[in-house]
Amino acid sequence: MENDPELNGKYLGTISKDFVVVSETLREASYQVRKRDISKYPIFVFSRTQVPVGSNFLAKEEMALEWNINASYLEDFMQRQLVLEDRVDDFKAAYKDPDEFCCLFVVDGDFQNFVFIPYPED
């Protein structure tokens, strides 16, 4: 579950630009998901079009972003079979400290991949 080179080259610039704008909101949402015992593994879905994964969290039109952002978590991904049962341990092992990194699932057409992006320093 390393960051994909295609993701780095094709998407990371636009994702990073939007991420800087919403990072504190995502950090707080991640904290609340974990604090309320909804999941230990929050995931934010970045997509150019609306996708049926997670709940609509930040619409690109409302925030002047290039990406829509949905809020989800590991258990939802398991139910949708986006993370298969036999890969759950791999996912958990790759998941980075949610106080320091945000777990994104990037969806653009046929391209789908996880990326962990660090929250900006204060």
Side-chain angles (χ1 to χ4, degrees):
M1 288 200 201
E2 295 298 315
N3 290 343
D4 186 308
E6 183 180 351
L7 178 71
N8 291 336
K10 189 172 179 183
Y11 299 107
L12 212 47
T14 62
I15 291 169
S16 296
K17 189 175 89 176
D18 283 0
F19 183 75
V20 168
V21 173
V22 298
S23 63
E24 285 306 311
T25 302
L26 298 182
R27 185 190 309 237
E28 179 61 25
S30 171
Y31 172 76
Q32 291 298 330
V33 165
R34 292 177 285 124
K35 178 183 173 191
R36 296 177 183 179
D37 290 327
I38 295 168
S39 178
K40 293 181 182 179
Y41 304 95
I43 302 168
F44 296 95
V45 181
F46 271 53
S47 62
R48 293 196 191 268
T49 60
Q50 283 296 340
V51 295
V53 180
S55 301
N56 188 2
F57 188 63
L58 297 170
K60 65 183 182 179
E61 297 82 13
E62 294 173 13
M63 301 288 296
L65 304 172
E66 291 186 45
W67 298 86
N68 290 299
I69 303 169
N70 289 1
S72 190
Y73 46 91
L74 175 59
E75 295 77 6
D76 181 39
F77 272 60
M78 291 169 60
Q79 288 177 346
R80 296 173 187 277
Q81 296 185 336
L82 294 168
V83 173
L84 300 176
E85 193 69 39
D86 64 344
R87 300 300 308 263
V88 170
D89 289 340
D90 293 337
F91 178 87
K92 289 179 178 181
Y95 197 89
K96 297 182 184 246
D97 180 349
D99 288 323
E100 295 182 26
F101 290 86
C102 189
C103 178
L104 307 182
F105 185 68
V106 179
V107 178
D108 187 28
D110 290 336
F111 182 83
Q112 303 173 1
N113 210 339
F114 287 100
V115 63
F116 296 90
I117 188 166
Y119 291 110
E121 297 288 324
D122 291 335

